Amino acid sequence: MARKKSGKKRMSDDQEFQIMKLVLDKFLWLGFIVMGWGMYTAINDSTILPGLWYMIGGAILLILFAVIIVKEYEILK
């Protein structure tokens, strides 16, 4: 029985890397927005602690997403 050729094209390594960079960039913006909100909250409120928690959460979000995306890229390779 003859095998059908798939109509899908494989991406080159450079194309996969460029897409990974675009996705990582969006997650970095998300983490930066959370950290910016924390800075805004810390400046406007009389207490700094709630804003500090937002900034710490944003930093953790940045690190977490960066690690997940890089590991996923390495697994796919």
Side-chain angles (χ1 to χ4, degrees):
M1 188 172 266
R3 293 182 64 121
K4 282 187 169 181
K5 277 185 97 175
S6 176
K8 297 180 182 178
K9 291 184 179 180
R10 295 282 303 157
M11 287 191 292
S12 69
D13 287 342
D14 185 55
Q15 290 171 328
E16 287 182 12
F17 183 70
Q18 295 299 327
I19 290 174
M20 190 225 21
K21 283 192 333 186
L22 290 171
V23 171
L24 183 60
D25 184 53
K26 303 306 179 228
F27 284 129
L28 292 175
W29 273 109
L30 180 66
F32 178 74
I33 289 170
V34 171
M35 291 179 74
W37 178 254
M39 181 65 77
Y40 174 77
T41 304
I43 290 172
N44 279 345
D45 290 345
S46 59
T47 60
I48 296 176
L49 194 58
L52 184 63
W53 285 115
Y54 277 112
M55 287 188 276
I56 291 171
I60 291 171
L61 190 69
L62 285 172
I63 292 168
L64 180 68
F65 281 139
V67 168
I68 289 171
I69 289 176
V70 169
K71 284 205 181 273
E72 192 69 29
Y73 177 71
E74 289 174 356
I75 289 172
L76 291 176
K77 243 182 148 182

